[in-house]
Amino acid sequence: MRDSGTGSTERSTGSTGSPGNTANPSRRTVLAATAGVTASLAVAGAAHAAPPADDKRLRTLISRMTLEEKVGQLFVMRVYGHSATAPDQADIDANLKEIGVRTAAELIARYRVGGIIYFSWAHNTRDPHQIADLSNGIQSASLEQPRGLPVLISTDQEHGIVARVGRPATLFPGAMAVGAGGSRSDARTLGRVAGAELRALGVRQDYSPVADVNVNPANPVIGVRSFGADPAAVAALVAAEVTGYQHAKVAATAKHFPGHGDTAVDSHYGFPVITHSREVWEALDAAPFRAAIAAGIDSIMTAHIMVPALDGSEDPATLSRPILTGILRGELGYDGVVVTDSLGMEGVRTKYGDDRVPVLALKAGADQLLNPPSLDIAWNAVLKAVRDGELTESRLDASLLRILRLKAKLRLFDRPYVTHAGVRRTVGTRAHLAAADRIAERTTTLLVNEGSLLPLSRRTHRTLLVVGADPASPSGTTGPPTGVLATALSELGFTATALSTGTAPSGATIARAVAAAQEADAVVVGTYNVTASSAQKTLVEQLTTTGKPVVAVAIRNPYDVAHLPSVTACLASYSWTDVELRAAARVIAGRVRPHGKLPVPVQRADDPAQLLYPVGYGLSY
């Protein structure tokens, strides 16, 4: 079983290593590096919109539901297969093993789940028309049940390194790249276009944007999924993207409350502790969530982290009533849907058993229970808690009303189905792809350019060797990165050859790359989470001894530049998706100028207490 939300990210990207510096700079150091830009947005914690006029109708629906149906509506569950009724045999076997049903239709009939989450690894997202058919099959299976309700279908389509729907759908730069671009208009466009394409596929709830403020370079799970380290800038971009999704009539989801940006532990595999004081939390972590609420965000996802300053019980925030009900609902005035991060993640399972977690999440104030490891255990635990009096049926009704309000707002009661014509008209159109390319061009960040090497001239540096790390390609992109870069540079008039050296090149691989570099006019090397002892660092150093100009492209974290003092030029692309690599190639070739500015500070590798490049740094030509 795989996790969702934050939980599914590393499985998609194929990486679990910590980014950037090997040393973990103190919070004081990183906060000091962003001094002057960490003031919270002056956004009031506006309450969610007034209850809609059809509340009476929705309450009537709830009153007619059985207790079992009410419990089912609270769950959002994974299911394997490309079809709701006729998945491949391997997917039937996986469903039987993990859920005890054969198909999505059987899942709905048995548990009456209110939501289903799509994953590429569950074979839900092969191509746009198949996704549309799957969505229609799920809706039909649910609506055909007694007192049938439409299903709220969701996915993690953050863009950048986390995307469940790939080509030929439009893929945009990820959050940190958008943070480097700094354009609210671009963030709105991303939300509007991405939302329109998801809606055409039958997906009405997107677990995006990430509202975490990433102030820890060693954060193993957020990193480039965050817009940056400046809470005011992050807040502005979160609000803009939410507005774009709302325009497309898709529910955006700000995550991971109360803020996952300062962790050195991955909550998939451990239980992170945030040691921020209440004052630091207010200034740093709260601002993007306040902005999202002020923008009318439809759902907010919880984090499986402990924040002692907000709740001294040592419970994860997902199970904390002081955090979800006291702060999120009470102090921030939020009355929309609260969805848990995946209940299969270790961060929420460390202290309590799988039968207690969903009950405690509801008692804390959550509405949707996402992807439990065993739906049967979780579903029966909630049912038992109501029958035993630990949870009241009215408590379930309160969450049901929020969920049904959202379904009504998204027109699921009126228009639950999608069409192939809508897919053709909307998904991966030329205009959408061009918008993604234009946005990407405004994100590439030039950090080093000695002797004005860049842009490369085809007259003096026509023959290029492209080497470097080739991590598993993010969902739906072509990859590998060296191949994408080499192809893009060749299309721009260079003669580029790709040579994959990997994230941990051996001595023989390094020697082969150095020999190949002798035949080139310049070398482009893609780096991925370089550390002081990384073989990638050795590769770059050996390449520079050839006397050939070396252009480094940090294809994930911009912190790589601190470990590469010998390169002639260095760019940050913030991801190794096609759209960002092609944009980096156009910058290298001089077809566009670099516009990106660092959205996070970069500390010196030899002394993390010292700042190498501040927030806002970026060269151009």
Side-chain angles (χ1 to χ4, degrees), residues 50-370:
D54 60 356
D55 261 17
K56 183 177 180 181
R57 179 171 67 96
L58 298 178
R59 292 181 191 276
T60 299
L61 285 176
I62 293 171
S63 71
R64 294 172 178 170
M65 294 168 65
T66 67
L67 177 59
E68 290 80 3
E69 289 167 355
K70 291 180 179 182
V71 171
Q73 282 293 305
L74 304 177
F75 284 95
V76 180
M77 192 60 184
R78 69 191 179 279
V79 65
Y80 290 86
H82 71 287
S83 164
T85 56
D88 295 339
Q89 186 60 49
D91 293 322
I92 291 174
D93 294 342
N95 285 328
L96 286 170
K97 179 181 178 181
E98 295 186 15
I99 315 173
V101 299
R102 294 167 52 85
T103 67
E106 289 183 12
L107 167 68
I108 291 166
R110 179 176 298 184
Y111 293 103
R112 303 299 294 270
V113 294
I116 285 180
I117 178 172
Y118 284 170
F119 291 109
S120 52
W121 51 257
H123 311 137
N124 304 139
T125 57
R126 290 180 179 177
D127 66 74
H129 290 281
Q130 167 269 317
I131 298 170
D133 287 339
L134 174 60
S135 298
N136 285 342
I138 286 170
Q139 298 296 359
S140 178
S142 185
L143 291 169
E144 288 172 359
Q145 297 296 318
R147 296 168 302 280
L149 294 171
V151 176
L152 184 53
I153 298 171
S154 61
T155 197
D156 294 289
Q157 192 78 352
E158 297 174 13
H159 295 269
I161 69 172
V162 178
R164 309 302 180 217
V165 180
R167 299 170 65 249
T170 306
L171 293 172
F172 283 89
M176 191 170 286
V178 174
S183 168
R184 299 184 193 186
S185 176
D186 283 349
R188 278 192 298 272
T189 297
L190 187 160
R192 177 178 54 79
V193 173
E197 296 201 3
L198 287 175
R199 185 177 177 85
L201 303 175
V203 178
R204 306 293 182 93
Q205 184 178 24
D206 189 12
Y207 298 138
S208 186
V210 172
D212 305 314
V213 181
N214 197 80
V215 294
N216 191 337
N219 194 324
V221 67
I222 302 302
V224 294
R225 297 167 61 204
S226 163
F227 287 109
D230 172 1
V234 172
L237 293 171
V238 165
E241 189 170 310
V242 168
T243 301
Y245 277 107
Q246 289 172 330
H247 181 86
K249 296 181 175 59
V250 165
T253 307
K255 60 186 187 185
H256 310 81
F257 188 82
H260 210 307
D262 191 8
T263 62
V265 174
D266 186 341
S267 53
H268 303 88
Y269 312 111
F271 188 15
V273 179
I274 303 286
T275 59
H276 292 175
S277 68
R278 176 63 190 247
E279 292 72 25
V280 169
W281 178 81
E282 288 281 1
L284 186 71
D285 303 292
F289 293 100
R290 289 186 185 276
I293 292 167
I297 187 80
D298 287 309
S299 56
I300 291 178
M301 180 180 285
T302 68
H304 304 325
I305 57 175
M306 185 198 308
V307 190
L310 304 184
D311 180 1
S313 70
E314 299 186 351
D315 283 343
T318 297
L319 310 182
S320 168
R321 185 169 179 82
I323 291 175
L324 297 191
T325 298
I327 296 175
L328 180 56
R329 295 216 188 275
E331 296 179 23
L332 273 60
Y334 177 67
D335 193 35
V337 170
V338 173
V339 55
T340 71
D341 205 342
S342 169
L343 298 184
M345 294 166 59
E346 187 60 30
V348 79
R349 303 172 75 190
T350 299
K351 189 174 177 182
Y352 301 100
D354 292 338
D355 60 333
R356 294 299 299 153
V357 166
V359 175
L360 294 174
L362 290 171
K363 293 177 74 172
D367 301 306
Q368 289 183 306
L369 304 169
L370 178 61

Side-chain angles (χ1 to χ4, degrees), residues 1-24:
M1 189 276 293
R2 294 172 172 88
D3 303 323
S4 68
T6 299
S8 50
T9 301
E10 294 303 327
R11 286 179 165 83
S12 290
T13 63
S15 167
T16 56
S18 297
N21 307 37
T22 52
N24 180 7

